[in-house]
Amino acid sequence: MMPLSPAVLSNIAGYMSISLWIVVYSPQIWENYQLQSGEGLSVPFIVLWLLGDITNLFGGVLAKLLPTMIILAVYYTICDIILLFQVYYYRRHPSPAARTHLSSDDETTPLLPEPRQPKPLLPPALEYPLLLAFVLLSGAGAWYLSDQGDEISIPEKPEPAVELEWKSQSLGWASALLYLGSRVPQIIHNYKTRCAGLSLAMFFFAISGNMTYVLSILLTSLNPRYILANLPWLAGSGLTVFLDLFVLAQFAAFSFQDRRKAREGKVFAEEEATAAADEGT
């Protein structure tokens, strides 16, 4: 069997990235609906992400990307608007299970129900890899079923034409800065909510989508001029991965602390019950 050329691998990675980004918003939208709350999300995070997607959309139009890429950019924008709508709707119409607390600025704000996160069907350590494998295989299947599958027999493709155009470059850098900046308020917000109401799967898929996207660019060509032309998108996707990994670290740290606190509380309750029983005898 002839090994796949870098050009073909680039196309496969590109299709995988698209499949990941199609589903990346779904876990958070569904979790907000289940919890009837949007408190897990930072509003500046969504707004900056939305502005990044809008900037990316205009950049794609100027760069004359494929219609499918333009449609995807419109789809991302719509998903951002849905998330923003959910946050404001559920904050104005909190579910009966939601409770209130006095925040540091003395304003009463709705909180999530005591983290009764929807119970996953499988343990996260098994569920997320299986979901990722399914989505990646779907992307590879979409590539195979497309006319790109005919490229398997082509050993190499010529170097892509490179055009450095300041308008699309400017929008690309603006989009990259917005994507990076969006993670900062969410990371700060997570320290207040301890990631309650935030979908781990959304960041899991975002990391995978950005990594496959970067891979699709690098596999196309390592020509310095080509890399320079795509640098805004490489920086936006590549650097965002590190911030999203920090969010995953927050999930892990808060989960570990909560489990330890629960164990300590259980031990304390048992000691109290034993002491009370001893006093009663």
Side-chain angles (χ1 to χ4, degrees):
M1 179 179 178
M2 180 181 295
L4 299 180
S5 68
V8 173
L9 292 175
S10 171
N11 283 332
I12 296 175
Y15 272 88
M16 287 180 172
S17 179
I18 290 173
S19 65
L20 286 162
W21 279 107
I22 287 176
V23 302
V24 71
Y25 295 91
S26 304
Q28 186 64 60
I29 292 174
W30 179 245
E31 186 148 332
N32 290 345
Y33 172 75
Q34 284 188 303
L35 294 174
Q36 297 290 289
S37 173
E39 291 295 325
L41 290 169
S42 163
V43 173
F45 165 62
I46 307 174
V47 171
L48 289 173
W49 202 352
L50 171 61
L51 292 175
D53 284 333
I54 292 175
T55 307
N56 189 42
L57 171 60
F58 282 109
V61 172
L62 287 176
K64 298 180 181 180
L65 296 181
L66 293 173
T68 51
M69 300 303 295
I70 303 299
I71 293 172
L72 281 172
V74 172
Y75 167 74
Y76 302 152
T77 302
I78 292 173
C79 289
D80 293 330
I81 294 173
I82 292 175
L83 285 177
L84 200 58
F85 171 79
Q86 284 185 313
V87 169
Y88 279 107
Y89 178 82
Y90 290 133
R91 288 185 182 183
R92 287 182 175 271
H93 304 87
S95 65
R99 58 189 179 88
T100 60
H101 82 299
L102 194 63
S103 65
S104 57
D105 54 0
D106 294 328
E107 293 180 358
T108 302
T109 56
L111 273 183
L112 290 168
E114 283 299 325
R116 288 182 305 156
Q117 302 292 72
K119 189 175 181 180
L121 296 176
L122 297 170
L126 184 61
E127 180 181 14
Y128 294 129
L130 287 177
L131 285 174
L132 177 62
F134 174 76
V135 176
L136 290 177
L137 287 174
S138 299
W143 165 81
Y144 184 78
L145 293 174
S146 73
D147 56 359
Q148 300 296 326
D150 297 334
E151 296 182 6
I152 294 180
S153 59
I154 301 176
E156 286 295 337
K157 291 180 68 177
E159 284 287 321
V162 178
E163 181 180 352
L164 288 170
E165 194 271 319
W166 72 268
K167 291 182 180 179
S168 59
Q169 287 286 306
S170 298
L171 287 171
W173 280 113
S175 178
L177 291 174
L178 287 166
Y179 285 142
L180 286 170
S182 68
R183 268 48 176 190
V184 176
Q186 184 62 51
I187 288 172
I188 295 173
H189 186 74
N190 290 344
Y191 284 108
K192 301 176 183 178
T193 63
R194 300 181 64 80
C195 293
L198 190 64
S199 171
L200 174 63
M202 180 174 69
F203 288 91
F204 189 77
F205 284 132
I207 290 170
S208 303
N210 277 322
M211 290 178 66
T212 49
Y213 179 69
V214 168
L215 190 62
S216 71
I217 293 177
L218 296 180
L219 284 171
T220 299
S221 174
L222 293 177
N223 183 293
R225 185 173 174 81
Y226 178 78
I227 296 297
L228 181 62
N230 287 275
L231 193 57
W233 292 273
L234 285 171
S237 296
L239 295 177
T240 300
V241 167
F242 291 100
L243 294 179
D244 286 345
L245 285 173
F246 188 87
V247 173
L248 294 191
Q250 287 183 308
F251 271 101
F254 295 142
S255 177
F256 172 77
Q257 292 171 4
D258 290 342
R259 289 196 303 270
R260 184 176 63 181
K261 186 176 180 180
R263 287 195 300 268
E264 291 174 349
K266 183 178 180 180
V267 171
F268 178 77
E270 291 174 350
E271 291 176 348
E272 287 286 304
T274 301
D278 292 339
E279 290 179 358
T281 56

